[in-house]
């Protein structure tokens, strides 16, 4: 119960515009797994991380990711509502060439972003709460690979 409060408060603390935070998260992700850049090619392949991070299509993807996290945070009491959506989202990511192992780096990047954005409000308890929520989201998305 306290976990939910920590998650809701911290997400709200990031402010209404989540894009800058999502950009920090993906910049970190490309540091951890540079090969993921290749999976984002809307018209042509990006020649650099900077080019990718500033392209409108990729910025849209960042917004989409933040919206999914937002949906999870808003449905902490009834995450089962999101299962069908998340399994399908997993299926789409399988189709674009994402491997489930890459979600570890995504999780690391999410925690990195929270730590950067929250500063001293980022506690071990908060970290664990997010790890638990993220694990549920990823586990659900991952069933889109195997079914
Ligand atoms: C769509 C890649 C992680 C949410 C896509 C697309 C690509 C992609 C190539 C299709 C093009 C586009 O819509 O921009 C990746 C990669 C990821 C990743 C390489 C990291 C390994 C995530 C995460 C979430 C997410 C963590 C949310 C939790 C979405 C959504 C769409 C999407 C909502 C649109 C799906 C639709 O068209 O219905 N992703 N993605 N992605 N991604 Fe990701």
């Amino acid at each position: 119960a306290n976990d939910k409060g920590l998650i809701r408060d911290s997400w709200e603390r990031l402010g209404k515009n989540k894009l800058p935070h999502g950009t920090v998260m993906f910049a970190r992700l490309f540091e951890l797994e540079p090969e993921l850049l290749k999976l984002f090619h809307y018209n042509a392949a990006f020649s650099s991380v900077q080019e990718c991070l500033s392209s409108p299509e990729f910025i849209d993807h960042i917004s989409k990711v933040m919206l999914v996290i937002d949906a999870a945070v808003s449905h902490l009491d009834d995450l089962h509502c999101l299962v069908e959506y998340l399994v399908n989202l997993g299926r789409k990511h399988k189709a674009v060439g994402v491997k489930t192992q890459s979600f570890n780096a995504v999780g690391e990047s999410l925690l990195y972003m929270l730590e950067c954005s929250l500063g001293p409000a980022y506690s071990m308890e908060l970290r664990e709460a997010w790890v638990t929520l993220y694990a549920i989201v990823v586990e659900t998305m991952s069933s889109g690979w195997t079914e």
Side-chain angles (χ1 to χ4, degrees), residues 25-26 29-30 33 36-37 39-42 57-58 60-62 64-66 68-69 85-86 88-89 92-93 96-99 102-103 106 134 137-138 141:
M25 180 173 154
F26 272 90
L29 180 63
F30 291 135
E33 284 200 39
L36 290 177
L37 189 62
L39 299 181
F40 295 100
H41 46 76
Y42 297 98
E57 296 93 339
F58 186 76
D60 266 358
H61 183 267
I62 297 180
K64 293 179 212 171
V65 172
M66 298 319 259
V68 175
I69 300 175
Y85 174 79
L86 291 174
N88 193 42
L89 188 60
K92 288 180 179 170
H93 283 82
V96 295
V98 176
K99 300 268 180 286
S102 294
F103 287 133
V106 176
Y134 181 73
V137 170
V138 163
M141 280 178 79

Side-chain angles (χ1 to χ4, degrees), residues 19-75:
L19 251 183
H21 305 285
T23 306
V24 169
M25 180 173 154
F26 272 90
R28 180 65 178 161
L29 180 63
F30 291 135
E31 273 174 23
L32 295 175
E33 284 200 39
E35 324 79 66
L36 290 177
L37 189 62
K38 295 191 203 106
L39 299 181
F40 295 100
H41 46 76
Y42 297 98
N43 298 306
F46 294 115
S47 55
S48 69
V49 169
Q50 212 36 61
E51 194 194 332
C52 177
L53 290 174
S54 55
S55 83
E57 296 93 339
F58 186 76
I59 291 171
D60 266 358
H61 183 267
I62 297 180
S63 300
K64 293 179 212 171
V65 172
M66 298 319 259
L67 277 174
V68 175
I69 300 175
D70 197 82
V73 172
S74 317
H75 288 88

